[in-house]
Amino acid sequence: MTRNPPATRVSILGKENIIIDYDLWGSFVIQDLLSNVPSSTYVLITDTNLSKQYGDSFSIAFKEHVSKLDVEARLLQYAIPPGETSKSRATKASIEDWMLSAERDPPCDTKTVVIALGGGVVGDMIGFVASTFKRGIRFVQVPTSLLAMVDSSIGGKTAIDTADGKNLIGAFWQPQRIYIDLQFLNTLPTREFINGMAEIIKTAAIWDTNEFDALESNAGSLMQAIKTPAVFGNDRLAEVKQILKRIVLASVRVKAHVVSADEREGGLRNLLNFGHSIGHAFEGILTPQILHGECVAIGMVLEATLARYLGVLKDSAVSRLIKCLKSYELPVSYLDPVVQERSGKKVCPLNELMSIMGVDKKNDGRKKRIVLLSGIGRTHEMKASVVADQDIRIVLSSAIEVYPLPHKNLEVVCTPPGSKSISNRALVLAALGHGQCRITNLLHSDDTEVMLRALTDLRCATFAWEEESEVLVVNGKHGNMHATTKDLYLGNAGTASRFLTTVATLAKPGTAISTVLTGNTRMKARPIAPLVNALRDNGAVIHYLESDGSLPLRVDASGGLEGGDINLAATVSSQYVSSILMCAPYARKPVTLRLHGGKPVSQPYIDMTTAMMASFGVKVTRSTREAHTYYIPQVQYQNPTDYHIESDASSATYPLAVAAITGTTCTVPNIGSSSLQGDSRFAIDVLEPMGCKVQQSSTSTTVTGPERGTLRPLPEVDMEPMTDAFLTASVLAAVAQGTNYSRSTRVIGIANQRVKECNRIRAMKDELTKFNVTCREFDDGIEIDGISPLSLSRPADGIECYDDHRVAMSFSVLALAAPNPTLIRERECVGKTWPGWWDALARTFGVQLEGVDLGADRIGEQKASKAVDQSLYIIGMRGAGKTTVGAWAAKLLDWPFIDLDTQLELDIRCTIPELIKSKGWDYFRELETSLLKKFMTERPTGYVIACGGGIVELPEPRQILVQYQKSGGLVLLVHRDIEDNMNFLQQDKTRPAYVEDMRSVWLRREPWYKECSSYEYFNPTSDAMPLSKPPIKFKRLLEVITGRADQLERMRYKSHSYFVSLTVPDVNSAIQFLEEVVVGSDAVELRVDLLKDPDSKDDFPSVPFVYQQLALLQRSTDLPVVFTIRTQGQGGKFPDDAGDHAMSLCKLALRMGVEFLDIEVQYPEAFILAITGAKGNTRLIASHHDPKGTLSWSNGSWVPFYNQALRCGDIVKLVGVAKVPEDNAKLMEFKAWAQSAHNTPIIAINMGIVGQLSRIQNSFMTPVSHPALPFKAAPGQLSATEIRQALSLHGVIQPEQYFLFGKPISASRSPSLHNTLFRSNGVPHNYSLCETDSVQELESVIRAENFGGASVTIPLKLDIMQLLDVISENAKIIGAVNTIVVDSTRKDLGGSKKYLVGENTDWRGMKLVLERAGAQHLKSPSGLIVGGGGTARAAIYALHEMGYSPLYVVGRSQEKVRSLIETFPATYQLQVLSSPEDVNGLEQVPHIAIGTIPADKPIDRHMEAILKELFHLSPQRAHQKAILLDMAYKPRSTALMELAAQDGWETIPGLEALVGQGLFQVYMHHKLSLLMISADDCKKFQLWTGITPLYRDARAAVFRDEE
């Protein structure tokens, strides 16, 4: 700061006002200001972060210089909060008020000079202040971020943001000086540095090829410096100072030149907006989580893609741009995993993007203008070009609709990209070779980019593009490479994963001693075990990091294989063979490669590899004596000077198929009979026999299709030599019907296609079925029945592509022949091999395309709960209850249930003990494994399958299950207390006895069970003592793991929701009051950090203890569970340094299917990524607590934590401290800002007594306490009742009037019941009687503004229906309405203000009371109804809903009873019992009964005789508790109850049912939608208020005078 460095000056608008170099800040800036921008007052304005770091030292230096120069000048300082939120009217006004204040003494005047020190926010804001203060004063820019240096500080644009958008209010106001001090970059955070690189790349892309070359060639060294931690005082830029100055200076000069030529954006300056038109649209949605430069990078790729689609830019240039951006770790798609993770997987709807682009200032009215590249370093026009909306939509859309190709004569030439297979091999061989090789026609695709990046990271070669990216120059290092510390992320590139696994063994140790290869979820499910096994056998050390047999792998650096004999199973993939062949010359000894297991798959690809190796100087000899054996010499590759890659023959099948299916002509000019690729035979071997005219030379192929609809089917075609082309053949076969031929085409030899990007055989079958095409799937093939093209159906939801390029391209061909447009989902997946495929369809063939936005479906792994339909496999010890749990799951999911042991016995026609006795355990395990594999293939979706207890004993089935669950399949471990299990198994003689102690078996299998399963259920029952009805706990678990219900959406629907925080050391101690504690809450929080494990020596509970606690809580409450570990630093008790244990506990919670998991954003990135990647359908609450009150809601300090929470949370939770009441208002302002920008729900509250108001105002998932709990989880916490009382006082919850309609009703207990519950739960409503028998008198009552709902009794249960808007299905079947519900979510109907729904809760009350009494049909599922009146209808409905069948009815009038039965569906299985003799003949005697006869009259003698016989027989023959519910309210004990009690029946009075009805009613009045979601789980009070009240409170209100 003391020397005056030689500075570089750049002219702008005729003056050298831009000064750029290192170490300008301080002396140089001060001297230059005092000399060239003189003033008596300088005002330094920066943000609070930079002020501490640079402001004070500058002030001291300024005073020193002023003193030395003896001038009158003062320096004032002002700091604003950091972040985009400061770029506002309010901040601008506060600065101006400060500058005008008399406290400045004197205030700032027209000669004041403002110094803007900071990034773009500060520069834009302060420039605008300068432009308006005193009608304009001078200012200087001192940009401290790279983005500001090369972009916002230059050009005079100033602005602030408003609620309507960014930079909408501002002015052009040129700074007097721009001091670009590159030394600021030394402390710039890595992400901000990379953010600025986007603008530098943009400028080079539009203006200067040489500068773009420099960016490419220096990416490695620059990124190494950029990623070095930014530490004040550490010169991380020492090694790259010159190149950094060069690229910044070049970018600055371009912008200065353009601004000078076009200051006010008349045309030329628009070029600087390359990437901005689309990038700004994304930024408008993704800000502030995604930075400006990151959005511009995404925009550049899309605008370049648009230029390619319009035919003005080559694909090679697009690929080069993408590669450059990726080399600086900038995103190239908003679906980039980093973007998704940072933005919280925020969706960018197409229409919203187009709307934002519609207000771009470059536009010409409604015409959108976009900068189009024509090559690297130049643009299509010297201004932004007009582009049609429909073309933009195609590029931005997640899916594409392909229209039928009209009948027309076409003769086209189509050149597919270079062969993927040859490209990948050429890259490996050239990198391993010696010398330079110029590769032309290299495929520019995701796969080759992955390969290039990995080879670069391994430092086995250098790569450079020439001739506008048409030539790749490779300088190979003849096998000299080093392991890398950077994980090689391969996405879903199968070829790269297999080739690089062997390549990585050649690496030498250096800074890293091993290399990790990993990929996306689908890659992690693809097999690689045969290759790994062969490499291990030859001395390579390779570790599986997750599941055996798949990536990720860690490959130790060993400098090459041992060599000698290598044995490889080659029946799965020929790529295993090619991988070893290409690396074998660098083994320590010559290699003999023997392929075993039969004929290798895809032999032509092996031949391709050996032919290419010969081109690179290594001749492989194929044995003439041993089948499938190869001899590879120990020799170094010699790179040819030039190597041309022919077009991809697999890709060439698509344009040729277009000709075949549409009757047109297409020529592929560089694929012919001399091709290295097996797929080059497709035209001759497939298209010609199907009726096409084929002309093929050695270098080209021309196909002319027959008349439309006349393609001939192929009885059988072996496509083993060209397996990838079978998808193309399949779509042609779908419309191949011929004339004298069978309509079926059978494709064989394609077994390897099951383990490609997806199971392609199954995918083709499933997707062709959507077109109404019949297919049959075989192990190694598929058979397709062709139909007329006009008979092709339109797939309702489009074609699922499975992230597979070949699926997408194949079905786009079929779409051309269909009568209607076809939606192809996952449009972008074609980028794997032919990024320009859609361009070719549109430009070459003239196909009409239309972009379609699929919204949230665009993201593969949404935060939203996603339903899973993959089959559910159940594993666990014998006797754990797998059969019982499987039956529950099958019933709930409506899927078939299969027990593999039972199926095996059916298949072998003997019992398993008999099989083991005759053939042994090994044979049984072999059959068991084969059956598992068969079911995995044949029943992939929609089944519940229970496996045998020992399925995990062998590695192969374990690997199958692991891969299944890793790829998204469901595997549920059912566990039971081991002691109970042992006792049960001692009695079970149906299975072979264990040959060892069962506890030892469990201990051995336990880790295998957990490895193979994704979820775990603790079962309190066994198969010997099953529950007929699934417990609520299991239903909730199944909802979570299958995604069939979403508790978050249920919460969001409610106007107010709460979760109660359990502050107990042991859940067992809370069981006695848990039912009371959860009243009024929507979820219950398990505070794990507050648990006390008596057996733990640490300050935290053990995993087994938490397992027991969570399992106990889940089975003790019907509410969703919030699993929370609050660390000490966040105000909890969990140690801050126990992150690994916290991870284990969080993963346990996910395995047990908790609905909500609280995850603190302060955890390390790896921790958060691990949880977000494993969360399934559990909703994450991303939280940050500030117990010390260091953050403020008003200065932007909470924004970084909010942004972090958005990245990983389905819900954001921020908890601060209120010191004064105003802090609550500031919180509400912050929350309003957050909710306006993002749809992610937010919990935002303040702790402390002062902060209680914020808890009352927080409407979503407010944490609450309860008086029965030992203490509150946080200072200021309230109960749900207290919050509702406060909301009622403030008028947020407005009083509503509820009624009982009917006559006579004066003795009704309903007002007592409902008003008691209203008061105890803090709501201001009132329930009263409205006695009438005239329905006309009620119309004005139910349409009143404050009408909340009503109960209805006789004589109005039928008449009331005419006044209501809709009647529920249960009320229709029962034939009576006893509850009126106001559905506030529905719009007015017929001008009415209320939408009224008629319900019946009688049956719900009956069901609730019987279930509370323990009713379940374990052995005798029949039920009994006594009576034939209106209440009997509700009783029939209730027992039917509970699963009882048949149902017997006893009544006084046989005719009346029979008439009643006839009104119900036959599925109810209703039977009349007319005599005692009928009872004796029953096979199933009922043990559940509901009485509906009047209690004020004696029981009819004939009925009494029948009932006596029933009551007497039932306990004897049903062998379980018999229960009678008598619906009569008085007397307390009726004659019917006494009659039943004589024979040991448990009897329940009707007032209990009244309690149940009331519980349901009140809930229904406020939460009708929840009733529709899960009506079985509601209680009657819940139906009005959404509150689950304490049953005992309701009962006490009803029975107050009875007990």
Side-chain angles (χ1 to χ4, degrees), residues 34-234:
L34 294 173
S35 302
N36 299 307
V37 193
S39 175
S40 60
T41 301
Y42 296 90
V43 180
L44 173 63
I45 303 180
T46 185
D47 66 41
T48 52
N49 292 336
L50 292 172
S51 177
K52 298 173 185 176
Q53 198 166 357
Y54 299 108
D56 293 343
S57 60
F58 185 83
S59 179
I60 293 171
F62 185 88
K63 291 177 181 178
E64 291 176 353
H65 280 76
V66 167
S67 176
K68 288 180 181 179
L69 297 174
D70 193 25
V71 296
E72 290 188 9
R74 62 174 177 163
L75 178 70
L76 305 178
Q77 290 191 60
Y78 189 86
I80 63 175
E84 191 77 25
T85 53
S86 288
K87 195 175 167 183
S88 64
R89 288 188 177 108
T91 306
K92 180 175 183 287
S94 67
I95 295 171
E96 292 164 341
D97 291 344
W98 179 87
M99 292 174 66
L100 290 169
S101 170
E103 295 179 5
R104 304 291 77 78
D105 191 25
C108 299
D109 57 23
T110 57
K111 297 181 180 180
T112 297
V113 175
V114 179
I115 307 167
L117 173 69
V121 169
V122 172
D124 286 0
M125 157 69 69
I126 305 313
F128 190 35
V129 169
S131 73
T132 59
F133 188 82
K134 301 281 186 175
R135 298 184 181 178
I137 60 175
R138 295 171 295 167
F139 88 109
V140 299
Q141 289 267 23
V142 187
T144 58
S145 71
L146 181 58
L147 184 66
M149 290 177 182
V150 299
D151 185 29
S152 61
S153 67
I154 305 170
K157 289 184 181 180
T158 70
I160 58 172
D161 300 338
T162 72
D164 294 316
K166 295 184 61 174
N167 300 326
L168 295 184
I169 299 178
F172 281 95
W173 193 249
Q174 295 294 343
Q176 298 296 302
R177 279 285 194 273
I178 303 170
Y179 299 107
I180 299 178
D181 185 350
L182 298 174
Q183 198 62 35
F184 282 125
L185 301 180
N186 213 19
T187 55
L188 189 67
T190 296
R191 187 180 175 197
E192 293 285 351
F193 211 133
I194 293 173
N195 183 50
M197 290 303 301
E199 288 288 344
I200 293 177
I201 294 171
K202 172 211 73 177
T203 304
I206 64 169
W207 202 265
D208 195 326
T209 303
N210 292 332
E211 289 304 317
F212 199 90
D213 292 343
L215 286 169
E216 289 177 314
S217 60
N218 290 285
S221 57
L222 282 168
M223 283 303 295
Q224 184 176 354
I226 290 170
K227 295 180 74 173
T228 300
V231 180
F232 192 72
N234 177 35

Side-chain angles (χ1 to χ4, degrees), residues 968-1009:
L970 302 176
V971 183
L972 175 65
L973 168 60
V974 176
H975 176 51
R976 187 180 171 214
D977 182 78
I978 192 66
E979 299 297 334
D980 291 344
N981 218 6
M982 290 175 64
N983 293 334
F984 164 65
L985 288 180
Q986 289 174 359
Q987 306 168 22
D988 182 15
K989 306 302 180 185
T990 63
R991 291 290 184 267
Y994 284 107
V995 296
E996 56 184 304
D997 172 64
M998 182 189 165
R999 187 181 298 277
S1000 300
V1001 175
W1002 163 249
L1003 291 175
R1004 183 179 72 251
R1005 290 179 180 175
E1006 182 182 17
W1008 294 337
Y1009 283 139

Side-chain angles (χ1 to χ4, degrees), residues 334-386:
Y334 109 90
L335 295 180
D336 185 295
V338 174
V339 175
Q340 288 296 293
E341 189 265 328
R342 285 174 177 167
S343 69
K345 294 187 176 178
K346 192 166 186 182
V347 178
C348 295
L350 173 61
N351 289 338
E352 189 172 351
L353 292 170
M354 295 295 289
S355 176
I356 296 172
M357 291 180 66
V359 297
D360 192 310
K361 56 185 175 295
K362 298 187 302 296
N363 293 345
D364 180 6
R366 293 188 176 181
K367 297 178 182 178
K368 295 182 175 64
R369 291 184 179 274
I370 294 176
V371 178
L372 301 177
L373 291 184
S374 60
I376 296 298
R378 64 178 186 273
T379 56
H380 176 57
E381 297 182 89
M382 293 303 286
K383 61 181 180 179
S385 304
V386 174

